[in-house]
């Protein structure tokens, strides 16, 4: 409550009366203390004076000789004129104060440091002066509250701007993240589409190669039936390797070599390799696992594209020839 007391002292009220008002109103605020001061301006302060140990209770205040003797006993000048300082005056601005407390407050507020005692008595406020003081105090309080309200509004506006900016930053970060995820998804779909196109092209090329191989085989067989060793014009005859058996003498399903093209479900270009026809699909699984670490020998499965068929675990142990994959086939690995 020191703020209420300082304001009351600055208005010129006596410190003792200010303390009385604050105590009487139980420090409930500036306005109740002001009302108490104005209502009890002419009432004596209920304060007990202590005179124990001085012997003053034995002195008759009407006996002038006894009073002077007591003053001398206490070290005072009984013959000094009856001049009593009733106020404190600021030598720099001439303002008069009732107590040292109000003078000290004035010195702290104004920076003045030249004061002197004065016998000039500060007259109590009239009713009009009391009303004027009260109105002035209320006006100061209203101005102070208005200034505080303006400052609070500025602070709230600044805080709101910070909150909005933070919200915008978070929103932009989320939007950027969503755009990145969408771009990744688009790139993935584009990559899958390209891989699918490549796989389709590879399968188509394999089909064309198989057609050509069947046409060449048919031409060779026809040439043998007709008793000619030269195939019809336009049909190429692949050169025989040393020690190889003529293709016309070997059925395609009995071909010792099986050419496999494996399409990977995890992505990537199809892989191709020629196996001995007596190898099993387990051998193919081991090769696929060595080419792509995403596959496991024990869990990988194969399916043919035409006709559509998924090979069981028991069929994985059969040879490529027994599974009908000779001389060539396209498999899907998953």
């Amino acid at each position: 409550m020191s703020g209420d007391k300082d304001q009351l002292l600055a208005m010129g009220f006596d410190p003792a009366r200010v303390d009385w008002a604050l105590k009487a109103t139980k420090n409930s605020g500036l306005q109740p203390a002001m009302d108490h001061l104005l209502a009890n301006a002419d009432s004596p302060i209920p304060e007990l004076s202590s005179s124990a140990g001085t012997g003053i209770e034995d002195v008759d205040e009407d006996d002038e000789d006894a009073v002077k003797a007591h003053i001398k006993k206490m070290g005072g000048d009984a013959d000094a004129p009856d001049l009593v300082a009733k106020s404190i005056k600021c030598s720099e601005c001439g303002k008069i104060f009732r107590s040292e407390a109000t003078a000290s407050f004035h010195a702290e507020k104004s920076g003045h440091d030249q004061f002197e005692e004065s016998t000039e008595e500060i007259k109590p406020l009239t009713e009009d002066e009391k009303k004027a003081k009260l109105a002035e105090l209320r006006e100061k309080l209203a101005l102070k509250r208005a200034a505080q309200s303006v400052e609070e509004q500025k602070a709230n506006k600044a805080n709101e701007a910070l909150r909005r900016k933070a919200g915008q930053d978070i929103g932009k970060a989320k939007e950027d993240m969503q755009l990145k995820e969408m771009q990744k998804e688009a790139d993935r779909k584009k990559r899958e589409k390209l891989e699918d196109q490549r796989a389709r092209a590879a399968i188509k090329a394999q089909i064309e190669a198989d057609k050509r191989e069947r046409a060449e085989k048919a031409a060779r067989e026809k040439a043998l039936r007709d008793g000619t060793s030269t195939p019809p014009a336009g049909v190429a005859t692949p050169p025989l390797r040393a020690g190889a058996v003529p293709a016309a003498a070997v059925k395609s399903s009995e071909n010792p070599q099986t050419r496999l093209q494996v399409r990977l479900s995890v992505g990537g270009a199809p892989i191709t390799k020629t196996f001995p026809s007596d190898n099993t699909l387990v051998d193919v699984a081991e090769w696929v696992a060595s080419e792509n670490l995403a596959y496991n020998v024990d869990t990988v499965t194969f399916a043919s594209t035409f006709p559509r068929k998924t090979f069981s675990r028991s069929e994985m142990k059969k040879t490529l020839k027994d599974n009908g994959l000779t001389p060539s086939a396209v498999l899907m690995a998953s």
Side-chain angles (χ1 to χ4, degrees):
M1 293 298 174
S2 60
D4 296 338
K5 181 176 181 179
D6 292 341
Q7 291 195 36
L8 293 172
L9 292 175
M11 294 176 62
F13 289 106
D14 183 73
R17 288 187 175 276
V18 170
D19 292 338
W20 176 30
L22 292 174
K23 184 176 181 181
T25 58
K26 298 181 179 180
N27 292 317
S28 57
L30 187 62
Q31 186 62 47
M34 171 64 80
D35 294 339
H36 183 277
L37 285 169
L38 296 178
N40 298 276
D42 298 327
S43 301
I45 300 175
E47 182 178 8
L48 297 176
S49 59
S50 177
S51 58
T54 61
I56 194 171
E57 65 276 7
D58 299 330
V59 179
D60 185 0
E61 62 180 4
D62 294 330
D63 187 347
E64 185 174 352
D65 293 336
V67 170
K68 288 184 178 181
H70 177 74
I71 291 174
K72 289 181 178 179
K73 180 180 180 182
M74 298 300 295
D77 186 1
D79 299 324
D82 297 333
L83 296 178
V84 179
K86 297 181 179 180
S87 61
I88 300 175
K89 182 177 181 181
C90 177
S91 303
E92 297 184 40
C93 65
K95 192 170 183 179
I96 301 174
F97 305 96
R98 283 190 176 91
S99 66
E100 292 183 4
T102 53
S104 298
F105 183 78
H106 171 73
E108 182 179 353
K109 192 173 182 181
S110 63
H112 298 171
D113 58 0
Q114 301 295 324
F115 294 89
E116 59 183 356
E117 292 184 346
S118 174
T119 58
E120 184 176 351
E121 184 178 4
I122 300 177
K123 297 180 180 179
L125 298 176
T126 64
E127 290 299 325
D128 292 339
E129 289 174 340
K130 292 178 182 178
K131 292 179 180 180
K133 282 284 186 181
L134 182 59
E136 180 183 358
L137 177 60
R138 287 174 177 170
E139 183 179 359
K140 287 182 179 180
L141 289 175
L143 291 174
K144 184 176 180 181
R145 288 170 181 168
Q148 290 177 346
S149 176
V150 171
E151 292 299 325
E152 288 177 357
Q153 290 178 0
K154 289 182 179 179
N156 291 336
K157 187 178 292 185
N159 291 336
E160 181 64 23
L162 291 175
R163 283 193 295 269
R164 288 182 179 178
K165 188 177 185 305
Q168 291 174 354
D169 292 342
I170 294 174
K172 187 175 184 304
K174 289 183 178 179
E175 184 177 353
D176 291 343
M177 187 177 296
Q178 290 176 353
L179 288 175
K180 288 181 180 179
E181 292 297 327
M182 291 173 63
Q183 185 64 40
K184 287 182 180 179
E185 182 66 16
D187 292 342
R188 184 184 65 80
K189 290 182 178 180
K190 184 177 180 181
R191 186 170 57 254
E192 288 180 353
K193 184 177 180 181
L194 182 60
E195 291 171 356
D196 187 66
Q197 290 175 350
R198 289 175 178 172
R200 287 177 183 272
I203 294 172
K204 186 176 180 181
Q206 182 64 41
I207 292 173
E208 293 296 328
D210 291 345
K211 286 182 179 179
R212 287 194 299 269
E213 185 177 347
R214 287 193 295 270
E216 292 170 1
K217 177 182 177 183
R220 287 192 295 271
E221 291 177 351
K222 186 175 183 300
L224 290 174
R225 286 194 303 269
D226 294 342
T228 61
S229 59
T230 304
V235 178
T237 301
L240 295 177
R241 296 189 302 272
V245 180
V250 180
K251 294 182 180 180
S252 60
S253 60
E254 298 296 332
N255 198 310
Q257 302 291 325
T258 300
R259 184 174 181 273
L260 294 181
Q261 184 184 79
V262 181
R263 183 181 175 188
L264 307 177
S265 62
V266 296
I271 55 178
T272 304
K273 184 178 179 180
T274 300
F275 292 88
S277 298
D278 58 356
N279 279 179
T280 65
L281 281 175
V282 175
D283 297 323
V284 179
E286 291 177 351
W287 170 67
V288 171
S290 67
E291 293 290 326
N292 193 314
L293 297 178
Y295 291 93
N296 186 286
V297 177
D298 298 327
T299 59
V300 64
T301 59
F302 294 110
S304 59
T305 57
F306 184 81
R308 184 71 179 178
K309 176 185 177 181
T310 301
F311 295 94
S312 65
R313 300 311 299 179
S314 62
E315 290 174 322
M316 292 285 290
K317 299 178 181 179
K318 293 182 178 181
T319 64
L320 301 179
K321 181 171 62 176
D322 293 341
N323 280 317
L325 301 175
T326 304
S328 64
V330 177
L331 298 177
M332 300 287 295
S334 60

